[in-house]
Amino acid sequence: MTPINSSVLAQAMNYDAYMALTEQLVKEGKTSGPNQSEAYVYYTKLNLQRMKRLNKTIEVPTALTALLQQKAAEWTWVIITEPWCGDAAQCVPVLEKIARTHSKIKTAYLLRDEHPTVMDAYLTNGGRSIPKLICLDQEGKEIFTWGPRPAVIQGVMNQLKAEGVTEIAKIVEEIQKAYNADHQAGVYEEMEAVLAAL
């Protein structure tokens, strides 16, 4: 049973509000959540630039759009995220753009650190990894989940761990390079696979 009920959804933001929140935080030299470190504030600023760029440049493949038209119903895509998260900055604009190709899909954004009960129902290998997409039908039944990152990007992360790389700045840089090289293909392919299996 998902902990995402009507009272949780009432606290969610739409995408424009999420973007506005990120812009406001950057303007104030802050980030979301309890970790207000210089690094997290810096990542939030970088992520805003990335999201703005992606908002303008993302083009959803026609095959994915067609599949969505076949499969989707009155769905709500609940997306757990945070403005400081690099994976979220790369994936959230893509998920939003995919959702916008279908008139029956609504998106609802929750901040991870403000909704620990929801987050803890969707852990990845025991960790609070984001972004996380939870697709719910009209009755609030879970249809599928996705996240926190495409397998192609996770592969790079696994490789870095295997090589013993622990420096956060280095990991962030390598993951960013991997996203740039992937051009959102990993998200599109995995969303196609999820939808095709429904």
Side-chain angles (χ1 to χ4, degrees):
M1 184 70 185
T2 177
I4 304 168
N5 55 31
S6 56
S7 67
V8 170
L9 287 174
Q11 298 166 53
M13 296 172 271
N14 64 20
Y15 187 64
D16 292 342
Y18 178 65
M19 285 297 299
L21 169 69
T22 307
E23 292 207 17
Q24 188 61 35
L25 289 167
V26 169
K27 205 179 284 183
E28 293 172 4
K30 295 178 185 171
T31 188
S32 57
N35 185 343
Q36 293 292 319
S37 68
E38 203 175 301
Y40 271 44
V41 170
Y42 173 70
Y43 293 142
T44 304
K45 190 177 176 182
L46 269 188
N47 289 343
L48 177 61
Q49 292 166 355
R50 282 179 192 138
M51 288 193 295
K52 281 181 166 178
R53 187 182 71 247
L54 287 167
N55 288 342
K56 288 178 187 162
T57 57
I58 293 163
E59 289 183 18
V60 181
T62 50
L64 178 52
T65 305
L67 194 56
L68 208 57
Q69 297 305 322
Q70 285 173 32
K71 301 281 188 170
E74 296 278 353
W75 285 349
T76 300
W77 283 10
V78 179
I79 297 165
I80 308 171
T81 184
E82 288 282 350
W84 47 258
C85 175
D87 287 298
Q90 295 288 351
C91 299
V92 163
V94 184
L95 297 173
E96 177 67 25
K97 196 65 82 92
I98 294 168
R100 287 186 181 191
T101 68
H102 199 295
S103 60
K104 289 184 178 175
I105 300 175
K106 292 191 316 240
T107 52
Y109 290 85
L110 295 173
L111 295 182
R112 181 192 81 167
D113 297 334
E114 289 181 7
H115 297 277
T117 307
V118 176
M119 183 70 254
D120 287 350
Y122 295 99
L123 300 178
T124 303
N125 301 323
R128 291 177 165 181
S129 302
I130 51 174
K132 200 80 183 180
L133 160 64
I134 303 104
C135 174
L136 304 175
D137 69 10
Q138 275 181 295
E139 279 74 53
K141 182 168 154 276
E142 190 182 296
I143 306 300
F144 67 84
T145 66
W146 180 88
R149 61 173 68 94
V152 63
I153 306 298
Q154 186 60 46
V156 175
M157 183 69 97
N158 294 347
Q159 181 66 31
L160 290 168
K161 276 188 184 162
E163 290 168 5
V165 178
T166 55
E167 190 194 339
I168 296 294
K170 178 68 176 165
I171 293 167
V172 167
E173 184 189 342
E174 292 303 317
I175 293 295
Q176 175 61 32
K177 280 186 197 165
Y179 272 114
N180 289 346
D182 185 57
H183 297 290
Q184 296 85 51
V187 179
Y188 296 141
E189 285 164 18
E190 290 180 19
M191 289 301 291
E192 277 193 41
V194 164
L195 291 165
L198 294 178

